[in-house]
Coordinates of all heavy atoms in Angstrom, one line a residue:
M6 N 13.3 6.2 -19.6 CA 14.0 6.0 -18.3 C 15.0 7.1 -18.1 O 15.7 7.6 -19.0 CB 14.7 4.6 -18.3 CG 13.8 3.4 -18.5 SD 12.8 3.1 -17.0 CE 14.1 2.3 -16.0
I7 N 15.1 7.4 -16.8 CA 16.0 8.5 -16.3 C 16.5 8.1 -15.0 O 16.0 7.2 -14.3 CB 15.3 9.9 -16.3 CG1 16.3 11.0 -16.2 CG2 14.2 9.9 -15.3 CD1 15.7 12.4 -16.5
R8 N 17.6 8.8 -14.5 CA 18.2 8.5 -13.2 C 18.1 9.7 -12.4 O 18.4 10.8 -12.8 CB 19.7 8.1 -13.4 CG 20.4 7.8 -12.1 CD 21.8 7.5 -12.2 NE 21.9 6.1 -12.5 CZ 22.9 5.3 -12.1 NH1 23.9 5.8 -11.4 NH2 22.9 4.0 -12.4
L9 N 17.8 9.5 -11.1 CA 17.8 10.6 -10.1 C 18.9 10.2 -9.1 O 18.9 9.1 -8.5 CB 16.4 10.6 -9.4 CG 16.4 11.5 -8.1 CD1 16.6 13.0 -8.4 CD2 15.0 11.3 -7.4
V10 N 19.8 11.1 -8.8 CA 20.8 11.0 -7.7 C 20.5 12.1 -6.7 O 20.5 13.3 -7.1 CB 22.2 11.1 -8.3 CG1 23.2 11.0 -7.1 CG2 22.5 10.0 -9.3
A11 N 20.2 11.7 -5.5 CA 19.8 12.7 -4.5 C 20.5 12.5 -3.2 O 20.8 11.4 -2.8 CB 18.3 12.6 -4.3
K12 N 20.8 13.6 -2.5 CA 21.4 13.6 -1.2 C 20.4 14.4 -0.3 O 20.1 15.5 -0.6 CB 22.8 14.2 -1.2 CG 23.5 14.0 0.1 CD 25.0 14.3 -0.1 CE 25.8 13.7 1.1 NZ 27.2 13.9 0.9
V13 N 20.0 13.7 0.8 CA 19.0 14.3 1.7 C 19.6 14.7 3.0 O 20.3 13.9 3.7 CB 17.8 13.4 2.0 CG1 16.7 14.0 2.8 CG2 17.3 12.8 0.6
Y14 N 19.5 16.0 3.4 CA 20.1 16.5 4.6 C 19.0 16.8 5.7 O 17.9 17.1 5.3 CB 20.8 17.9 4.3 CG 21.9 17.8 3.4 CD1 21.7 17.7 2.0 CD2 23.2 17.8 3.8 CE1 22.8 17.7 1.1 CE2 24.3 17.7 3.0 CZ 24.1 17.7 1.6 OH 25.2 17.6 0.8
G15 N 19.4 16.7 6.9 CA 18.5 17.0 8.1 C 18.6 15.8 9.0 O 19.6 15.1 9.1
H16 N 17.5 15.7 9.8 CA 17.4 14.6 10.7 C 16.8 13.4 9.9 O 15.5 13.3 9.9 CB 16.6 14.9 11.9 CG 16.4 13.8 12.9 ND1 17.4 13.3 13.6 CD2 15.3 13.2 13.3 CE1 17.0 12.3 14.4 NE2 15.7 12.2 14.2
V17 N 17.6 12.7 9.2 CA 17.1 11.7 8.3 C 17.6 10.3 8.5 O 17.3 9.3 7.8 CB 17.4 12.1 6.8 CG1 16.6 13.4 6.5 CG2 18.9 12.3 6.6
Q18 N 18.4 10.1 9.6 CA 18.8 8.7 10.0 C 18.2 8.3 11.3 O 18.0 9.1 12.1 CB 20.4 8.7 10.1 CG 21.0 8.9 8.7 CD 22.5 8.6 8.8 OE1 23.1 8.1 9.8 NE2 23.2 8.9 7.7
G19 N 17.9 7.0 11.4 CA 17.2 6.5 12.6 C 15.7 6.8 12.6 O 15.1 6.8 13.7
V20 N 15.1 7.2 11.5 CA 13.7 7.6 11.5 C 13.0 6.8 10.4 O 11.9 7.3 9.9 CB 13.5 9.1 11.3 CG1 14.0 9.9 12.5 CG2 14.2 9.6 10.0
F21 N 13.5 5.7 10.0 CA 12.9 4.8 9.0 C 12.9 5.5 7.6 O 12.1 5.1 6.7 CB 11.5 4.3 9.4 CG 11.5 3.5 10.6 CD1 11.1 4.1 11.8 CD2 11.8 2.2 10.5 CE1 11.2 3.3 13.0 CE2 11.9 1.4 11.7 CZ 11.5 2.0 12.9
F22 N 13.8 6.4 7.3 CA 13.9 7.1 6.0 C 14.2 6.1 4.9 O 13.5 6.1 3.9 CB 14.9 8.2 6.1 CG 14.7 9.3 5.1 CD1 14.2 10.5 5.5 CD2 15.0 9.1 3.7 CE1 13.9 11.5 4.6 CE2 14.8 10.1 2.8 CZ 14.2 11.3 3.2
R23 N 15.2 5.2 5.1 CA 15.6 4.3 4.1 C 14.4 3.3 3.7 O 14.1 3.1 2.6 CB 16.8 3.5 4.5 CG 18.1 4.4 4.5 CD 19.3 3.6 5.0 NE 19.0 3.1 6.3 CZ 19.7 2.1 6.9 NH1 20.6 1.5 6.3 NH2 19.3 1.7 8.1
D24 N 13.8 2.7 4.8 CA 12.8 1.8 4.5 C 11.6 2.4 3.8 O 11.0 1.8 2.9 CB 12.4 1.1 5.8 CG 11.4 0.0 5.6 OD1 11.7 -1.0 4.8 OD2 10.3 0.0 6.1
T25 N 11.2 3.6 4.3 CA 10.1 4.2 3.7 C 10.4 4.6 2.2 O 9.5 4.5 1.3 CB 9.7 5.5 4.5 OG1 9.5 5.1 5.9 CG2 8.4 6.1 4.0
T26 N 11.6 5.1 2.0 CA 12.0 5.4 0.6 C 11.9 4.1 -0.3 O 11.4 4.2 -1.4 CB 13.4 5.9 0.6 OG1 13.5 7.2 1.4 CG2 13.9 6.2 -0.8
R27 N 12.4 3.0 0.3 CA 12.4 1.7 -0.5 C 10.9 1.4 -0.8 O 10.6 1.0 -2.0 CB 13.0 0.6 0.3 CG 13.0 -0.7 -0.4 CD 13.5 -1.9 0.5 NE 12.9 -1.9 1.8 CZ 11.7 -2.5 2.0 NH1 11.0 -3.1 1.0 NH2 11.1 -2.5 3.2
R28 N 10.0 1.5 0.1 CA 8.6 1.2 -0.2 C 8.0 2.1 -1.2 O 7.3 1.6 -2.1 CB 7.8 1.2 1.1 CG 8.1 -0.1 2.0 CD 7.2 -0.2 3.2 NE 7.7 0.6 4.3 CZ 7.0 1.5 4.9 NH1 5.8 1.8 4.6 NH2 7.5 2.2 5.9
H29 N 8.3 3.4 -1.1 CA 7.8 4.3 -2.1 C 8.3 3.9 -3.5 O 7.6 4.0 -4.5 CB 8.2 5.8 -1.8 CG 7.3 6.5 -0.9 ND1 7.2 6.2 0.5 CD2 6.4 7.4 -1.2 CE1 6.3 7.0 1.0 NE2 5.8 7.7 0.0
A30 N 9.6 3.6 -3.6 CA 10.2 3.3 -4.9 C 9.6 2.0 -5.5 O 9.3 1.9 -6.6 CB 11.7 3.1 -4.7
Q31 N 9.5 1.0 -4.6 CA 8.9 -0.3 -5.1 C 7.5 -0.2 -5.6 O 7.1 -0.8 -6.5 CB 9.0 -1.4 -4.0 CG 10.5 -1.8 -3.8 CD 10.7 -2.7 -2.6 OE1 9.8 -2.8 -1.7 NE2 11.8 -3.4 -2.5
Q32 N 6.7 0.7 -4.9 CA 5.3 0.9 -5.4 C 5.2 1.5 -6.8 O 4.2 1.4 -7.4 CB 4.6 1.9 -4.4 CG 4.3 1.2 -3.0 CD 3.8 2.3 -2.0 OE1 3.7 3.5 -2.3 NE2 3.4 1.8 -0.9
R33 N 6.3 2.2 -7.2 CA 6.3 2.8 -8.5 C 7.2 2.1 -9.5 O 7.6 2.7 -10.5 CB 6.7 4.3 -8.4 CG 5.6 5.0 -7.6 CD 5.8 6.5 -7.8 NE 4.7 7.2 -7.2 CZ 3.6 7.6 -7.9 NH1 3.5 7.3 -9.2 NH2 2.6 8.3 -7.4
D34 N 7.7 0.9 -9.2 CA 8.6 0.2 -10.1 C 9.9 0.9 -10.4 O 10.4 0.8 -11.5 CB 7.9 -0.2 -11.4 CG 6.8 -1.2 -11.1 OD1 6.9 -2.1 -10.3 OD2 5.7 -1.1 -11.8
I35 N 10.4 1.6 -9.4 CA 11.7 2.3 -9.5 C 12.7 1.4 -9.0 O 12.6 0.7 -8.0 CB 11.6 3.6 -8.6 CG1 10.6 4.6 -9.2 CG2 13.0 4.2 -8.5 CD1 10.4 5.8 -8.3
T36 N 13.9 1.4 -9.7 CA 15.0 0.5 -9.3 C 16.1 1.4 -8.8 O 16.2 2.6 -9.0 CB 15.5 -0.3 -10.5 OG1 16.0 0.6 -11.5 CG2 14.5 -1.2 -11.0
G37 N 17.1 0.8 -8.0 CA 18.2 1.6 -7.5 C 18.4 1.2 -6.0 O 18.2 0.1 -5.6
W38 N 18.9 2.2 -5.2 CA 19.2 2.0 -3.8 C 19.2 3.2 -3.0 O 19.1 4.3 -3.5 CB 20.6 1.3 -3.7 CG 21.7 2.0 -4.4 CD1 22.2 1.7 -5.6 CD2 22.5 3.1 -3.9 NE1 23.3 2.6 -5.9 CE2 23.5 3.4 -4.9 CE3 22.5 3.9 -2.7 CZ2 24.4 4.5 -4.7 CZ3 23.4 4.9 -2.6 CH2 24.3 5.2 -3.6
V39 N 19.1 3.0 -1.7 CA 19.2 4.1 -0.7 C 20.1 3.7 0.4 O 20.2 2.5 0.7 CB 17.8 4.4 -0.1 CG1 17.1 3.2 0.5 CG2 17.8 5.6 0.8
R40 N 20.9 4.6 0.9 CA 21.8 4.3 2.1 C 22.1 5.5 2.9 O 22.0 6.6 2.5 CB 23.1 3.7 1.6 CG 24.1 4.7 1.0 CD 25.4 4.0 0.6 NE 26.2 5.0 -0.1 CZ 27.1 4.7 -1.0 NH1 27.3 3.4 -1.3 NH2 27.8 5.6 -1.6
N41 N 22.4 5.2 4.2 CA 22.9 6.2 5.1 C 24.3 6.5 4.8 O 25.1 5.6 4.6 CB 22.8 5.7 6.6 CG 21.3 5.7 7.1 OD1 20.5 6.3 6.5 ND2 21.1 5.0 8.2
E42 N 24.7 7.7 4.9 CA 26.1 8.1 4.7 C 26.7 8.5 6.1 O 26.0 8.9 7.0 CB 26.2 9.3 3.8 CG 25.7 9.0 2.4 CD 26.6 8.1 1.6 OE1 27.7 7.9 2.0 OE2 26.1 7.6 0.6
R43 N 28.0 8.4 6.2 CA 28.7 8.7 7.4 C 28.5 10.2 7.9 O 28.6 10.5 9.1 CB 30.2 8.4 7.3 CG 30.5 7.0 7.3 CD 31.9 6.7 7.3 NE 32.1 5.3 7.3 CZ 33.3 4.7 7.2 NH1 34.4 5.4 7.0 NH2 33.4 3.4 7.3
D44 N 28.2 11.1 7.0 CA 28.0 12.5 7.3 C 26.6 12.8 7.8 O 26.3 14.0 8.1 CB 28.4 13.4 6.2 CG 27.5 13.2 4.9 OD1 26.5 12.4 5.0 OD2 27.7 13.9 3.9
G45 N 25.8 11.8 8.0 CA 24.4 12.0 8.5 C 23.3 12.2 7.5 O 22.2 12.3 7.8
T46 N 23.7 12.2 6.2 CA 22.8 12.3 5.1 C 22.3 11.0 4.7 O 22.8 9.9 5.1 CB 23.4 13.1 3.9 OG1 24.5 12.3 3.4 CG2 23.9 14.5 4.3
V47 N 21.3 11.0 3.8 CA 20.8 9.8 3.1 C 21.1 10.0 1.6 O 20.7 11.0 1.0 CB 19.4 9.5 3.4 CG1 18.8 8.4 2.5 CG2 19.2 9.1 4.8
Q48 N 21.7 9.0 0.9 CA 22.0 9.1 -0.5 C 21.0 8.1 -1.2 O 20.7 7.0 -0.8 CB 23.4 8.6 -0.8 CG 23.8 8.6 -2.2 CD 24.2 10.0 -2.7 OE1 24.7 10.8 -2.0 NE2 24.0 10.2 -4.0
V49 N 20.4 8.6 -2.4 CA 19.5 7.8 -3.2 C 20.0 7.9 -4.6 O 20.3 8.9 -5.1 CB 18.1 8.4 -3.1 CG1 17.1 7.6 -4.0 CG2 17.6 8.4 -1.6
V50 N 20.0 6.7 -5.2 CA 20.2 6.6 -6.7 C 19.1 5.7 -7.2 O 18.9 4.6 -6.7 CB 21.6 5.9 -7.0 CG1 21.7 5.7 -8.5 CG2 22.7 6.7 -6.4
A51 N 18.3 6.3 -8.1 CA 17.0 5.7 -8.5 C 16.9 5.9 -10.0 O 17.2 6.9 -10.6 CB 15.8 6.3 -7.8
E52 N 16.3 4.8 -10.6 CA 16.0 4.9 -12.1 C 14.6 4.5 -12.3 O 14.1 3.5 -11.7 CB 17.0 4.0 -12.9 CG 18.4 4.4 -12.8 CD 19.3 3.7 -13.8 OE1 18.9 2.7 -14.4 OE2 20.5 4.1 -13.9
G53 N 14.0 5.1 -13.3 CA 12.6 4.8 -13.6 C 12.0 5.9 -14.6 O 12.8 6.7 -15.1
E54 N 10.7 5.9 -14.7 CA 10.1 6.9 -15.5 C 10.1 8.2 -14.8 O 10.0 8.3 -13.6 CB 8.6 6.5 -15.8 CG 8.5 5.2 -16.6 CD 9.1 5.3 -17.9 OE1 9.1 6.4 -18.6 OE2 9.6 4.2 -18.4
E55 N 10.3 9.3 -15.5 CA 10.5 10.6 -15.0 C 9.3 11.0 -14.0 O 9.6 11.5 -12.9 CB 10.6 11.7 -16.0 CG 10.9 13.1 -15.5 CD 11.1 14.1 -16.6 OE1 11.1 13.8 -17.8 OE2 11.4 15.3 -16.2
Q56 N 8.1 10.7 -14.4 CA 6.9 11.0 -13.5 C 7.0 10.3 -12.2 O 6.8 10.8 -11.1 CB 5.7 10.6 -14.2 CG 4.4 10.8 -13.4 CD 3.2 10.3 -14.2 OE1 3.1 10.4 -15.4 NE2 2.2 9.8 -13.5
D57 N 7.5 9.0 -12.2 CA 7.6 8.2 -11.0 C 8.7 8.8 -10.1 O 8.6 8.9 -8.9 CB 7.8 6.8 -11.3 CG 6.6 6.1 -11.9 OD1 5.5 6.5 -11.6 OD2 6.8 5.3 -12.8
L58 N 9.8 9.2 -10.7 CA 10.9 9.7 -10.0 C 10.6 11.1 -9.4 O 11.1 11.4 -8.3 CB 12.2 9.8 -10.9 CG 12.8 8.5 -11.3 CD1 13.9 8.7 -12.3 CD2 13.3 7.7 -10.0
E59 N 9.8 11.9 -10.1 CA 9.3 13.2 -9.5 C 8.5 12.9 -8.2 O 8.7 13.7 -7.3 CB 8.4 13.9 -10.5 CG 9.2 14.5 -11.7 CD 10.0 15.7 -11.4 OE1 9.9 16.2 -10.2 OE2 10.7 16.2 -12.3
H60 N 7.7 11.9 -8.2 CA 6.9 11.5 -7.0 C 7.9 11.1 -5.9 O 7.7 11.5 -4.7 CB 5.9 10.4 -7.3 CG 4.7 10.9 -8.0 ND1 3.6 11.5 -7.3 CD2 4.3 10.8 -9.3 CE1 2.7 11.8 -8.2 NE2 3.1 11.4 -9.4
L61 N 8.9 10.3 -6.2 CA 9.9 9.9 -5.2 C 10.6 11.2 -4.7 O 10.8 11.3 -3.5 CB 10.9 8.9 -5.8 CG 11.9 8.4 -4.8 CD1 11.3 7.7 -3.7 CD2 13.0 7.5 -5.6
L62 N 11.0 12.1 -5.6 CA 11.7 13.3 -5.1 C 10.8 14.1 -4.2 O 11.3 14.7 -3.2 CB 12.1 14.1 -6.4 CG 12.9 15.4 -6.1 CD1 14.2 15.1 -5.3 CD2 13.3 16.1 -7.4
D63 N 9.5 14.2 -4.5 CA 8.6 14.9 -3.6 C 8.6 14.3 -2.2 O 8.6 15.0 -1.2 CB 7.2 14.9 -4.2 CG 7.0 15.8 -5.4 OD1 7.8 16.7 -5.6 OD2 5.9 15.6 -6.1
F64 N 8.6 12.9 -2.2 CA 8.7 12.3 -0.9 C 10.0 12.6 -0.2 O 10.0 12.9 1.0 CB 8.5 10.8 -1.0 CG 9.0 10.0 0.2 CD1 8.2 10.0 1.3 CD2 10.2 9.4 0.3 CE1 8.6 9.4 2.5 CE2 10.6 8.8 1.4 CZ 9.8 8.8 2.6
L65 N 11.1 12.6 -0.9 CA 12.4 12.9 -0.3 C 12.4 14.3 0.3 O 13.1 14.5 1.3 CB 13.5 12.8 -1.3 CG 13.8 11.4 -1.9 CD1 14.9 11.4 -2.9 CD2 14.0 10.3 -0.8
H66 N 11.7 15.2 -0.2 CA 11.6 16.5 0.4 C 10.8 16.6 1.7 O 11.0 17.5 2.5 CB 11.0 17.5 -0.6 CG 12.0 18.0 -1.6 ND1 12.9 19.0 -1.4 CD2 12.2 17.6 -2.9 CE1 13.6 19.2 -2.5 NE2 13.2 18.4 -3.4
R67 N 10.0 15.6 1.9 CA 9.2 15.5 3.1 C 9.8 14.4 4.1 O 9.9 14.7 5.3 CB 7.7 15.1 2.8 CG 7.0 16.1 2.0 CD 5.5 15.7 1.8 NE 5.3 14.2 1.6 CZ 5.3 13.7 0.4 NH1 5.6 14.4 -0.7 NH2 5.1 12.4 0.2
G68 N 10.0 13.3 3.6 CA 10.5 12.1 4.4 C 9.3 11.6 5.3 O 8.2 12.1 5.2
P69 N 9.6 10.5 6.0 CA 8.6 10.0 6.9 C 8.3 11.0 8.1 O 9.1 11.9 8.3 CB 9.3 8.7 7.4 CG 10.7 8.9 7.2 CD 10.9 9.8 6.1
S70 N 7.3 10.7 8.8 CA 6.8 11.7 9.8 C 7.8 12.0 10.9 O 7.9 13.2 11.4 CB 5.5 11.2 10.4 OG 5.8 10.0 11.1
A71 N 8.7 11.1 11.2 CA 9.7 11.4 12.3 C 10.9 12.1 11.8 O 11.8 12.6 12.5 CB 10.2 10.0 12.9
A72 N 11.1 12.3 10.4 CA 12.2 12.9 9.9 C 12.0 14.5 9.8 O 10.9 15.0 9.9 CB 12.4 12.4 8.4
R73 N 13.2 15.2 9.7 CA 13.2 16.6 9.4 C 14.1 16.8 8.2 O 15.3 16.7 8.4 CB 13.6 17.4 10.6 CG 13.5 18.9 10.4 CD 14.3 19.8 11.4 NE 15.7 19.7 11.0 CZ 16.7 19.1 11.8 NH1 16.4 18.5 12.9 NH2 17.9 19.2 11.3
V74 N 13.6 17.1 7.1 CA 14.4 17.3 5.9 C 14.7 18.8 5.8 O 13.8 19.6 5.7 CB 13.7 16.8 4.6 CG1 14.5 17.1 3.4 CG2 13.4 15.3 4.7
D75 N 16.0 19.1 5.8 CA 16.5 20.5 5.7 C 16.6 20.9 4.2 O 16.3 22.0 3.9 CB 17.8 20.7 6.4 CG 17.6 20.6 7.9 OD1 16.5 20.8 8.5 OD2 18.6 20.3 8.6
R76 N 17.2 20.0 3.5 CA 17.3 20.3 2.0 C 17.6 19.0 1.3 O 18.1 18.0 1.9 CB 18.4 21.3 1.8 CG 19.8 20.9 1.8 CD 20.7 22.0 1.5 NE 22.1 21.6 1.2 CZ 23.0 21.4 2.1 NH1 22.8 21.6 3.4 NH2 24.2 21.0 1.7
V77 N 17.4 19.0 0.0 CA 17.7 17.9 -0.9 C 18.5 18.4 -2.1 O 18.0 19.4 -2.7 CB 16.4 17.2 -1.4 CG1 16.7 16.1 -2.3 CG2 15.6 16.7 -0.2
E78 N 19.6 17.8 -2.3 CA 20.4 18.1 -3.6 C 20.0 17.0 -4.5 O 20.2 15.8 -4.2 CB 21.9 18.1 -3.3 CG 22.3 19.2 -2.4 CD 23.8 19.2 -2.1 OE1 24.5 18.2 -2.4 OE2 24.3 20.1 -1.4
A79 N 19.5 17.3 -5.7 CA 19.1 16.3 -6.7 C 19.7 16.6 -8.0 O 19.9 17.8 -8.4 CB 17.6 16.3 -6.8
E80 N 20.1 15.6 -8.7 CA 20.7 15.7 -10.0 C 20.1 14.6 -10.9 O 19.9 13.5 -10.5 CB 22.2 15.4 -9.9 CG 23.0 15.5 -11.2 CD 24.4 15.2 -11.0 OE1 25.0 15.4 -10.0 OE2 25.1 14.7 -12.0
W81 N 19.7 15.1 -12.1 CA 19.1 14.2 -13.1 C 20.2 13.7 -14.1 O 21.1 14.5 -14.5 CB 18.0 14.9 -13.9 CG 16.9 15.3 -13.0 CD1 16.7 16.5 -12.5 CD2 15.9 14.4 -12.5 NE1 15.6 16.5 -11.7 CE2 15.0 15.2 -11.7 CE3 15.6 13.1 -12.7 CZ2 13.9 14.7 -11.0 CZ3 14.4 12.6 -12.0 CH2 13.6 13.4 -11.2
Q82 N 20.3 12.4 -14.4 CA 21.3 11.8 -15.2 C 20.6 10.8 -16.2 O 19.4 10.5 -16.0 CB 22.3 11.1 -14.4 CG 23.1 11.9 -13.4 CD 24.0 11.1 -12.6 OE1 24.1 9.9 -12.6 NE2 24.8 11.8 -11.7
S83 N 21.3 10.3 -17.1 CA 20.9 9.3 -18.0 C 20.8 8.0 -17.3 O 21.8 7.7 -16.5 CB 21.8 9.1 -19.2 OG 21.8 10.3 -20.0
A84 N 19.8 7.2 -17.5 CA 19.7 5.9 -16.8 C 20.7 4.9 -17.4 O 21.0 5.0 -18.6 CB 18.3 5.3 -17.0
T85 N 21.2 4.0 -16.6 CA 22.2 3.0 -17.0 C 21.5 1.7 -17.2 O 22.1 0.8 -17.8 CB 23.4 2.9 -16.1 OG1 22.9 2.4 -14.8 CG2 24.1 4.2 -15.9
G86 N 20.4 1.4 -16.5 CA 19.7 0.2 -16.5 C 20.4 -0.9 -15.7 O 20.1 -2.1 -15.9
E87 N 21.3 -0.5 -14.8 CA 22.1 -1.5 -14.1 C 21.4 -2.2 -12.9 O 21.8 -3.2 -12.4 CB 23.4 -0.8 -13.5 CG 23.1 0.2 -12.5 CD 24.4 1.0 -12.1 OE1 25.1 0.5 -11.2 OE2 24.6 2.1 -12.7
F88 N 20.2 -1.6 -12.5 CA 19.5 -2.1 -11.4 C 18.3 -3.0 -11.8 O 17.7 -2.7 -12.8 CB 19.0 -1.0 -10.5 CG 20.1 0.0 -10.1 CD1 19.9 1.3 -10.5 CD2 21.2 -0.4 -9.4 CE1 20.9 2.3 -10.2 CE2 22.1 0.6 -9.1 CZ 22.0 1.9 -9.5
T89 N 17.9 -4.0 -11.0 CA 16.8 -4.8 -11.2 C 15.7 -4.6 -10.1 O 14.6 -5.0 -10.3 CB 17.1 -6.3 -11.4 OG1 17.8 -6.7 -10.2 CG2 18.0 -6.5 -12.6
T90 N 16.1 -4.1 -9.0 CA 15.3 -3.9 -7.8 C 15.6 -2.6 -7.2 O 16.6 -2.0 -7.5 CB 15.4 -5.0 -6.8 OG1 16.7 -5.0 -6.2 CG2 15.1 -6.4 -7.4
F91 N 14.9 -2.2 -6.1 CA 15.3 -1.1 -5.3 C 15.5 -1.6 -3.9 O 14.7 -2.3 -3.3 CB 14.2 0.0 -5.2 CG 14.7 1.3 -4.6 CD1 15.1 2.3 -5.5 CD2 14.7 1.5 -3.2 CE1 15.6 3.5 -4.9 CE2 15.2 2.6 -2.7 CZ 15.7 3.7 -3.5
H92 N 16.7 -1.4 -3.4 CA 17.1 -2.0 -2.1 C 17.8 -1.0 -1.2 O 18.3 0.1 -1.6 CB 18.0 -3.2 -2.3 CG 19.3 -2.9 -3.0 ND1 19.4 -2.8 -4.3 CD2 20.5 -2.7 -2.5 CE1 20.6 -2.6 -4.7 NE2 21.3 -2.5 -3.5
I93 N 18.0 -1.4 0.1 CA 18.7 -0.6 1.1 C 20.2 -1.1 1.0 O 20.4 -2.3 1.2 CB 18.1 -0.7 2.5 CG1 16.7 -0.2 2.5 CG2 19.0 0.0 3.5 CD1 15.9 -0.4 3.8
R94 N 21.1 -0.2 0.8 CA 22.5 -0.5 0.9 C 23.0 -0.2 2.3 O 22.6 0.7 2.9 CB 23.3 0.3 -0.1 CG 23.4 -0.2 -1.5 CD 24.5 0.4 -2.3 NE 24.6 -0.2 -3.5 CZ 25.3 0.3 -4.5 NH1 26.0 1.4 -4.4 NH2 25.4 -0.3 -5.7
R95 N 23.9 -1.1 2.7 CA 24.5 -0.9 4.0 C 25.9 -0.3 3.9 O 26.5 -0.4 2.9 CB 24.6 -2.2 4.8 CG 23.2 -2.9 4.8 CD 22.6 -2.8 6.1 NE 21.3 -3.5 6.2 CZ 20.2 -2.9 6.3 NH1 20.1 -1.7 6.5 NH2 19.1 -3.6 6.4

């Protein structure tokens, strides 16, 4: 298990980015959360198998069809095991 912490920049709010990210994570048994930030970015904290998180990171670089991703800052950390599901934080 490993942790991915990512910040997604671009036109990523109001385009179903959080919901689509949640669905991608749940399909791969990834736990954690996604939320909109006040600065217009989307923050993701996710834990799972490295291969599954790599797939999630690939999605974050594209986003849903209505999104425009300019860049993604990603950091790999040790998993804490604190999550049991993947959800949207408000």
